[in-house]
Amino acid sequence: MRPSFICLRCAARLAKPSSRLLRSNKRSIHTEAIPSERPPAAILPIRHDRESQHTFLQHEAPNIAAERRDGNGNFNGDDDVYGYGRSHGAGSHSPAHSVPERQDGRLSETAIRRDTRIEGIVRRVTPRARCLKDKILDTQGNLAVVHGDLVKTYGMSRSEASHALHQLERLLRNNAEAETERTAASRLDQYLAWKTQFSSLLRKLADPSSTENVPNTSPTMSEADNMAWQPHDQDMREHVWSQMFLSAVESRPDILPALFEYTFDPTCCPSYVMEDALYLLFRRRQSTSQADETNHDDSQQQGIEFLVTFILGKCPPGYLALPQALLWHVLSRLPITELHPWYQFLVSIEHPLLPNTLLHLARRFAKNHDTKVHAVEILGVLTDIPEYDLNTPAAAGVCISLLTLNKDELPPDQHAVAPDVLFEFLVKRGFRPDLVGLSALMRNFCVRGHLNMGWKVFDLMLQYDIKPDQHVYSILLNGCKRNLDQASLEQIIHIISEGDAWSHVLLNDFLHLLFRENEAQPEPRRRQRKKSNNAWRTMLLLYAKFFNLAPLQKFTFFSLENLTETWIVPPRYKTTATKMVEFLKPQSRRKLMYPDSITLSLMLAAHMRSILLPKYAIRYYHYFCRLVRNKNPLALRLVEEQGSMVYNIFIRTLMQFQETTGFAIQQVAEMIRAAKIEKEQIGHNLHHPFPSVHTWTALVNGLKNHKDTRGALSILQIMGREGVQPNSATWNALIQAFARTDNVTAAVKGVWALEKAGFRPDRHTIRAFNMLSQRLKDSGISMLENMRKTPEQFAHVISPIQDATPSYGRSDDFTQHSQSGLGVPRTLEEVAKRQGEYNIRAIEVGSKKYQKRRAVNSTAPLGMPRGNAGRRLYM
């Protein structure tokens, strides 16, 4: 026969009255430690290894129950170790006071009104659990006065003590009508005895020396264990369950998940025991994670989430109120797609959700335009709480997120909630608009293309006496840039000028607007030949009025000051934007600003777009690389802050000329080698960045312009091997390359690959299809619709890049070309070799012939003065 679970010394002590047990908390119960051959484990998913712990429920649970039964087989309340007997002997405690009823979830006024005795109760010191019990009964429902006593008596944190108060309220409220005062006091004895054991376990977790190593596997319990537990009646299970949990925590924490799975029954387990048990497992997982920072196994965290889901699924409505820290831990790890079903589940089981938890959910919903409606739903619940204020910093941040579109987020479709509807809802719920909130609303309208609504928000700011700042003006300027609205541009420029509010941000926006406006103008000639009407000179005129010329002069070969003094925009090229540049007054020399890296990058991009000869493009590239090698502070700062964007400017210019295409591809290969060397030497890239997706897109677009479809496809495959994913511009450039060669099958599969990569066809995709003849266009649209209707036929495709691996020329075989002997080049060196040898002498000769064809007094390249003197200045 197995030894008794409780030793003889403890049995003698348990024969004493229960009131003495409550007063004595210095002695511990000598329980039989369950033997273990392995160290305790953490919480892992339950249903994978079905070997094991038969002995615990088959032998230990009956022993625990045997110690509780008398000769007739009935339970003996005096032998209850942890105070969970159904009733204590007479005189073991003082009578409990009646507990006030609750109305609408809150204590009635008579319950919370403090009488003359409350002040004395608050000041009463409670060194033992017995005194704490008397103090709780004397509060007459105003349990907040014992918050500090819970912290001192049980060593809880303030949040843990607050949750314990909520447990006490529910415990006393639920038993006030159904039980007598004596039984209610007995329930309170049970609760305080449990908290003593619970606080002891929490203190052990707080001690780093007591934290045990956690193995990576967790034994589970079998069906035989379940059969050993189920035959016992409800009374026995109610008395034994909490003690089994405590014993398992001490000796075999690895079986806790299985213990919960097979033995938990809400009718046998008090709600506060289960809440504390789950919180204890959560704290245990936290302590082991901090002790072993190298262990990043998420399966242990998933085990806690599985247990919480399992327990909540078995509980009746209103049974559990998990600590908000544990609830937040579970919710914060859920993906956004599963968050709303979880929220609805918690509402359906009447689980309490504190305002901070609801605000956390609303914050996550507000960041995605597809789930903003759920954020509105939660904010409606919050504002129904009396005296809840949406203007606190945390709540106002959620409201602003609700009105904001993320930086890289595409504009929502027409089915999304309109921003004006969201704003109206918030105002009706008490939200007071401020500068940040109205700026977010304005940007939402401007990004969607509703610039007129953006101006209405601007007028609303003035009505609220809110002074617009540079970010408000920047939003309107960007709205003008997106919509090319000339009237709005003139209005905003006048407002900024009258308020003397020009700053780096606003001037950079204006410079970029000039650049984009010039790029959007139609050009009948080939794209690699730049327009004589370039943005460089107009942008330089604006730059000279507000910025110091010296930093920009470092990157040019001619005098900028002479150019600004002689240049006037030709009348046929004047627009509203160029007229506003001439309208602006130049700043005095002492007010000139020093340009930042964004300003210099914009000016350098415009300057390189104005170059008409390939030899000048090569000279500028070599000159910039020499500045970087010589550690020029300005060049290094430009590379450090802008990264590969600076090199993209030169690569794009070199790809415009047939003679320098191979040279540009070779330079990208050199960028990769230099970046790898620098990363090996210093651990990161500072002055030699890796090519970005924009660098690769410039290569694809340049080869497309030169009708080298095979080379464009090679670049797409090489960038995939380098770990760079194509963006929508890359796919559109490749689709245009196929459309130019009338390869309709390849173009259609390129659109399919674009959609599979998560992008949507845009105006550039439509323009590519318009390059096809009407017959091919109709055929391509029919093919694309069939592919969208039957996507399962293309499930074998591994990646979008493989989808866009069509054959070269007009063949309809999707992979014929890549399998043939004329396969696409596999390295950048092979692609560059196909473009021909780089011959600087031939480039120089070709440039001289081009210069001879130009009249001496014609419009010269690079913005240099007319005539031979200006050409010598440039050379």
Side-chain angles (χ1 to χ4, degrees):
M1 182 175 179
R2 294 179 58 86
S4 176
F5 187 80
I6 303 176
C7 69
L8 296 178
R9 291 175 56 191
C10 291
R13 244 185 335 109
L14 291 173
K16 300 178 182 180
S18 59
S19 59
R20 296 183 60 184
L21 285 177
L22 289 174
R23 287 196 300 267
S24 175
N25 56 5
K26 297 182 180 180
R27 301 179 184 179
S28 59
I29 298 175
H30 302 106
T31 58
E32 173 189 342
I34 304 175
S36 174
E37 298 178 356
R38 67 179 76 185
I43 303 304
L44 292 174
I46 291 175
R47 304 182 181 272
H48 44 221
D49 178 16
R50 285 290 176 188
E51 294 187 2
S52 83
Q53 316 309 322
H54 298 272
T55 59
F56 187 76
L57 287 179
Q58 289 177 336
H59 301 287
E60 299 301 335
N63 290 340
I64 296 173
E67 298 295 330
R68 301 296 179 278
R69 295 182 181 271
D70 54 19
N72 299 324
N74 300 322
F75 281 104
N76 187 348
D78 293 335
D79 288 337
D80 183 17
V81 178
Y82 297 99
Y84 276 89
R86 302 184 63 180
S87 64
H88 292 278
S92 61
H93 52 74
S94 59
H97 294 277
S98 60
V99 180
E101 296 182 355
R102 297 172 64 91
Q103 299 176 359
D104 299 329
R106 290 184 291 170
L107 292 173
S108 61
E109 293 185 0
T110 57
I112 63 175
R113 186 181 298 118
R114 179 175 294 180
D115 57 22
T116 56
R117 298 184 303 161
I118 294 297
E119 296 298 333
I121 296 174
V122 173
R123 292 192 296 268
R124 188 187 305 171
V125 181
T126 57
R128 295 192 300 271
R130 173 67 181 180
C131 298
L132 177 60
K133 172 188 173 182
D134 294 339
K135 187 172 182 178
I136 291 173
L137 296 176
D138 289 341
T139 57
Q140 297 183 354
N142 191 6
L143 297 175
V145 298
V146 299
H147 183 275
D149 298 290
L150 291 174
V151 173
K152 296 177 182 178
T153 304
Y154 299 113
M156 300 179 180
S157 65
R158 298 188 63 84
S159 60
E160 293 167 350
S162 298
H163 184 72
L165 286 181
H166 292 301
Q167 291 176 336
L168 269 174
E169 287 185 10
R170 288 186 288 122
L171 178 67
L172 298 178
R173 181 184 71 238
N174 294 339
N175 297 285
E177 298 179 357
E179 296 182 345
T180 63
E181 294 181 359
R182 177 178 177 183
T183 307
S186 175
R187 293 289 182 182
L188 184 57
D189 287 336
Q190 299 172 19
Y191 177 81
L192 296 178
W194 163 259
K195 282 300 179 182
T196 302
Q197 301 294 331
F198 173 68
S199 61
S200 175
L201 293 176
L202 283 181
R203 284 194 294 269
K204 290 183 179 180
L205 286 178
D207 184 8
S209 61
S210 64
T211 303
E212 301 173 348
N213 296 327
V214 180
N216 293 325
T217 59
S218 176
T220 58
M221 303 179 70
S222 65
E223 295 295 335
D225 298 315
N226 189 26
M227 296 176 61
W229 169 258
Q230 294 299 334
H232 300 291
D233 56 29
Q234 180 173 345
D235 290 338
M236 188 278 288
R237 285 183 285 175
E238 181 178 354
H239 284 75
V240 170
W241 194 92
S242 58
Q243 300 173 29
M244 285 198 309
F245 168 77
L246 292 173
S247 181
V249 169
E250 290 288 345
S251 20
R252 290 302 302 272
D254 52 319
I255 68 170
L256 287 174
L259 179 68
F260 284 170
E261 180 184 11
Y262 284 116
T263 65
F264 172 69
D265 184 358
T267 62
C268 304
C269 176
S271 60
Y272 57 84
V273 174
M274 178 49 63
E275 293 167 10
D276 291 345
L278 291 174
Y279 179 72
L280 188 66
L281 297 179
F282 166 64
R283 286 287 305 275
R284 182 182 179 84
R285 181 58 246 163
Q286 280 188 325
S287 62
T288 53
S289 299
Q290 295 173 359
D292 186 9
E293 297 180 355
T294 60
N295 184 13
H296 301 287
D297 187 9
D298 291 338
S299 60
Q300 298 178 357
Q301 298 289 358
Q302 294 172 1
I304 298 177
E305 298 165 14
F306 176 84
L307 277 179
V308 172
T309 306
F310 172 77
I311 296 300
L312 289 176
K314 293 190 64 174
C315 294
Y319 172 77
L320 275 188
L322 295 178
Q324 298 298 303
L326 173 59
L327 195 61
W328 176 88
H329 168 78
V330 175
L331 296 177
S332 61
R333 297 175 61 86
L334 292 175
I336 191 67
T337 55
E338 300 179 11
L339 194 59
H340 188 252
W342 248 87
Y343 168 70
Q344 291 180 320
F345 170 67
L346 292 174
V347 173
S348 65
I349 65 173
E350 301 177 9
H351 190 287
L353 294 173
L354 296 183
N356 287 341
T357 306
L358 290 172
L359 204 60
H360 167 74
L361 294 172
R363 182 182 296 107
R364 292 193 61 189
F365 287 137
K367 292 180 179 179
N368 192 318
H369 61 77
D370 293 330
T371 56
K372 287 184 183 292
V373 63
H374 304 321
V376 172
E377 175 188 353
I378 294 178
L379 289 177
V381 174
L382 284 171
T383 51
D384 288 338
I385 301 175
E387 300 181 359
Y388 188 83
D389 188 7
L390 279 181
N391 300 287
T392 59
V398 176
C399 296
I400 293 171
S401 298
L402 195 64
L403 300 173
T404 303
L405 287 177
N406 296 331
K407 182 178 180 180
D408 299 327
E409 190 176 28
L410 294 175
D413 54 25
Q414 58 183 357
H415 302 292
V417 184
D420 53 340
V421 176
L422 297 176
F423 183 74
E424 182 180 3
F425 165 80
L426 294 176
V427 172
K428 287 182 178 180
R429 292 288 178 162
F431 178 65
R432 293 189 297 271
D434 57 0
L435 179 61
V436 179
L438 292 176
S439 299
L441 180 63
M442 179 188 296
R443 181 181 176 275
N444 201 328
F445 280 123
C446 292
V447 170
R448 292 169 181 258
H450 304 300
L451 187 57
N452 57 333
M453 296 298 296
W455 280 108
K456 290 183 179 180
V457 177
F458 182 81
D459 296 335
L460 187 62
M461 284 185 182
L462 301 181
Q463 293 178 10
Y464 278 97
D465 293 329
I466 298 175
K467 183 179 180 181
D469 61 357
Q470 61 176 352
H471 299 289
V472 174
Y473 299 138
S474 176
I475 292 171
L476 292 174
L477 265 177
N478 279 282
C480 298
K481 181 169 57 180
R482 287 175 177 270
N483 301 277
L484 296 178
D485 191 327
Q486 305 295 332
S488 296
L489 174 63
E490 186 175 357
Q491 183 178 0
I492 189 61
I493 293 298
H494 280 294
I495 292 175
I496 297 173
S497 299
E498 291 175 0
D500 194 18
W502 288 108
S503 63
H504 285 83
V505 174
L506 297 178
L507 289 170
N508 290 339
D509 287 334
F510 196 10
L511 288 171
H512 193 224
L513 185 146
L514 292 170
F515 186 76
R516 285 194 56 173
E517 181 187 58
N518 187 267
E519 290 289 304
Q521 293 179 3
E523 172 60 37
R525 294 180 296 179
R526 296 173 60 188
R527 287 290 296 171
Q528 67 268 21
R529 295 300 184 187
K530 302 299 180 291
K531 301 181 284 288
S532 58
N533 171 34
N534 54 69
W536 158 245
R537 299 180 181 182
T538 307
M539 292 173 63
L540 181 61
L541 188 62
L542 176 63
Y543 177 95
K545 290 185 176 182
F546 292 93
F547 293 104
N548 192 341
L549 285 173
L552 183 60
Q553 183 69 68
K554 189 66 178 177
F555 299 101
T556 57
F557 296 154
F558 53 90
S559 173
L560 296 177
E561 189 173 356
N562 294 339
L563 183 59
T564 56
E565 291 176 356
T566 58
W567 170 247
I568 298 176
V569 181
R572 60 176 178 167
Y573 295 136
K574 283 189 176 181
T575 62
T576 302
T578 58
K579 291 178 182 178
M580 297 310 300
V581 173
E582 296 178 346
F583 161 78
L584 294 175
K585 296 181 180 180
Q587 299 291 318
S588 61
R589 184 174 295 273
R590 66 182 183 84
K591 289 185 177 181
L592 292 177
M593 293 180 281
Y594 194 86
D596 57 14
S597 61
I598 299 177
T599 310
L600 293 176
S601 299
L602 285 170
M603 296 304 299
L604 191 58
H607 181 31
M608 297 305 294
R609 287 289 285 169
S610 68
I611 291 179
L612 299 179
L613 299 176
K615 69 174 184 179
Y616 297 141
I618 294 177
R619 289 181 184 180
Y620 269 103
Y621 178 73
H622 283 311
Y623 176 66
F624 181 80
C625 291
R626 187 165 63 250
L627 290 176
V628 174
R629 287 194 303 269
N630 295 337
K631 307 297 182 182
N632 180 272
L634 198 58
L636 293 180
R637 173 190 165 208
L638 204 59
V639 176
E640 290 173 5
E641 296 182 3
Q642 298 301 318
S644 63
M645 192 185 76
V646 183
Y647 291 96
N648 296 345
I649 294 172
F650 296 102
I651 296 298
R652 182 187 180 189
T653 304
L654 292 169
M655 291 298 295
Q656 299 297 328
F657 306 101
Q658 182 70 53
E659 301 89 339
T660 57
T661 301
F663 175 76
I665 297 173
Q666 290 177 357
Q667 298 311 305
V668 174
E670 290 294 333
M671 284 180 61
I672 297 175
R673 282 192 288 268
K676 290 180 179 178
I677 293 174
E678 186 181 44
K679 190 170 183 178
E680 290 178 358
Q681 292 176 348
I682 64 176
H684 62 281
N685 295 102
L686 186 62
H687 300 142
H688 298 281
F690 279 96
S692 66
V693 63
H694 305 289
T695 313
W696 297 100
T697 302
L699 296 181
V700 175
N701 191 65
L703 293 172
K704 177 260 298 182
N705 289 338
H706 298 301
K707 297 184 179 181
D708 187 358
T709 309
R710 185 186 302 179
L713 181 58
S714 301
I715 296 299
L716 187 75
Q717 294 175 335
I718 294 171
M719 69 181 292
R721 290 195 295 269
E722 292 292 332
V724 181
Q725 295 298 323
N727 59 10
S728 60
T730 314
W731 290 115
N732 284 328
L734 189 67
I735 294 168
Q736 290 183 17
F738 295 135
R740 285 190 174 189
T741 58
D742 291 338
N743 191 344
V744 62
T745 303
V748 168
K749 292 184 178 180
V751 176
W752 170 253
L754 178 144
E755 294 179 347
K756 189 174 180 181
F759 304 104
R760 292 183 294 184
D762 54 14
R763 57 187 180 90
H764 300 287
T765 315
I766 297 173
R767 186 172 64 181
F769 260 75
N770 288 336
M771 295 179 181
L772 299 169
S773 63
Q774 188 62 40
R775 180 181 62 84
L776 294 177
K777 190 189 305 181
D778 295 339
S779 174
I781 293 175
S782 177
M783 291 173 57
L784 183 61
E785 290 177 351
N786 292 334
M787 295 176 71
R788 290 171 175 170
K789 291 179 181 178
T790 58
E792 63 277 359
Q793 296 182 4
F794 304 91
H796 64 281
V797 179
I798 298 177
S799 67
I801 292 180
Q802 292 186 352
D803 281 355
T805 314
S807 59
Y808 181 70
R810 297 175 180 268
S811 173
D812 291 334
D813 186 2
F814 197 59
T815 58
Q816 174 183 348
H817 176 65
S818 60
Q819 296 175 354
S820 65
L822 299 176
V824 295
R826 298 183 59 83
T827 63
L828 288 175
E829 288 76 8
E830 293 179 6
V831 179
K833 188 176 181 180
R834 290 187 63 255
Q835 307 303 317
E837 294 292 336
Y838 167 63
N839 191 337
I840 186 62
R841 178 169 296 183
I843 294 175
E844 292 283 351
V845 172
S847 299
K848 289 181 180 179
K849 290 181 179 180
Y850 175 78
Q851 286 178 326
K852 288 180 180 179
R853 290 196 301 267
R854 295 174 57 87
V856 173
N857 291 326
S858 64
T859 303
L862 295 169
M864 61 186 179
R866 298 174 184 269
N868 293 329
R871 186 170 289 108
R872 285 195 301 271
L873 174 65
Y874 179 81
M875 299 295 290

